[in-house]
Amino acid sequence: TSARSSSPKLMPLPDAHLDVEGLIFTPDPEEFTRPLTANRRQVPAPRPTTDILAELSRSTPASLQPAAAEPRTPVPVLTVEEREDRLMAVMAEILDDPQSAYRTDAVLYQDFLVRARMRRLPGPPLSLSDFRRRTAIARSGVDAAMASSEAWTTVLSMSNSVSDDLQGVFLMMAKAALGGEPCPSDARIARAYGTHSARRARRLLGYFEEQGLVVVHSDFTGKRIVAFPELQAETAPGSAEAPDEGDLKIAAE
């Protein structure tokens, strides 16, 4: 027996000598029976001379010429009046939504641009300031007869003294005064300003009065009246706490 502490040892290889060189260079008998396949490069067929001359006669080879563009639908040609009517129709679609009063002008303006492109309206798009001005006039509810009057021209001139976000409220109050309509309630003024806060609506009237644009007073029953000294017109008495019809419509929906 051998000791367990001894380590294993490698045994020498057998003494058989193999002809390694012969194994490498001797061909396999199967190679003589395989079919010979030549990997020849496919030579393209020669092009006709007429095609070559026709291509050389052109300024740009046919292979480099851009593909013909698909025919586009021509933009309709509209008169100034027709384009204006379509612009107003697009704005009316946007403002007919009761929720539009509580959306920012930037959101409404993006909606307007998308609708105008879908209608393929020619000409440059309205600027944001022009859109705000048109929106304020449209929200005032002025009709064509009043819009063409000299008094309304004075109203538009007076509205330039207030900021863009207040013009909608100012024009609405002026339209009510020129038409002898009841004074809009706090809720109606708040919706024209894009808010639900009646306190903010009362502050707007106070701001207009501080600027010397209006005079706010009440009749003997406590109903509010807003007068425009420069227009020599005032609203009919109206309840400041009356609900807004637009908000009632939204709640019903």
Side-chain angles (χ1 to χ4, degrees):
T1 61
S2 60
R4 295 183 179 180
S5 60
S6 62
S7 59
K9 297 181 179 180
L10 296 176
M11 298 295 292
L13 293 174
D15 296 335
H17 296 283
L18 298 177
D19 188 4
V20 179
E21 184 178 355
L23 292 176
I24 295 175
F25 293 101
T26 302
D28 189 359
E30 295 181 358
E31 295 181 1
F32 297 101
T33 60
R34 294 176 184 173
L36 296 177
T37 57
N39 296 328
R40 296 182 179 179
R41 182 179 179 183
Q42 296 293 335
V43 179
R47 297 179 59 187
T49 307
T50 55
D51 294 348
I52 298 176
L53 294 177
E55 185 172 343
L56 292 176
S57 63
R58 292 191 294 264
S59 59
T60 305
S63 59
L64 300 180
Q65 287 184 352
E70 297 181 359
R72 296 183 178 181
T73 305
V75 178
V77 179
L78 302 177
T79 63
V80 178
E81 292 77 11
E82 291 175 343
R83 182 176 183 273
E84 185 68 19
D85 292 341
R86 293 197 180 187
L87 285 176
M88 297 306 297
V90 173
M91 295 190 66
E93 291 179 1
I94 298 174
L95 299 181
D96 283 345
D97 183 4
Q99 294 290 348
S100 64
Y102 303 105
R103 297 190 180 101
T104 62
D105 291 339
V107 173
L108 296 179
Y109 181 63
Q110 292 297 327
D111 189 12
F112 170 78
L113 293 180
V114 171
R115 292 173 184 260
R117 287 197 299 267
M118 293 175 62
R119 299 288 183 86
R120 299 183 61 81
L121 293 179
L126 294 179
S127 62
L128 179 57
S129 59
D130 193 7
F131 175 78
R132 285 174 173 170
R133 181 71 166 177
R134 289 170 177 262
T135 301
I137 296 175
R139 283 175 172 171
S140 67
V142 61
D143 55 14
M146 184 181 295
S148 60
S149 64
E150 184 178 353
W152 186 253
T153 303
T154 304
V155 170
L156 295 179
S157 178
M158 294 171 59
S159 66
N160 292 328
S161 61
V162 300
S163 58
D164 292 342
D165 58 332
L166 300 180
Q167 288 186 3
V169 177
F170 181 82
L171 294 178
M172 180 190 68
M173 301 299 297
K175 182 257 181 182
L178 292 178
E181 302 171 359
C183 180
S185 63
D186 291 341
R188 178 67 185 90
I189 297 174
R191 184 164 68 91
Y193 187 64
T195 182
H196 294 280
S197 175
R199 180 180 299 178
R200 183 172 297 178
R202 290 190 291 269
R203 286 205 303 265
L204 292 178
L205 292 180
Y207 172 77
F208 292 154
E209 193 167 19
E210 291 175 358
Q211 300 300 314
L213 298 173
V214 301
V215 175
V216 182
H217 61 99
S218 303
D219 66 352
F220 64 93
T221 63
K223 292 184 178 181
R224 184 171 59 198
I225 300 174
V226 176
F228 289 78
E230 189 168 347
L231 300 175
Q232 295 297 312
E234 65 180 14
T235 66
S239 175
E241 289 77 19
D244 179 36
E245 295 180 358
D247 289 340
L248 294 177
K249 183 179 179 180
I250 296 175
E253 294 177 353

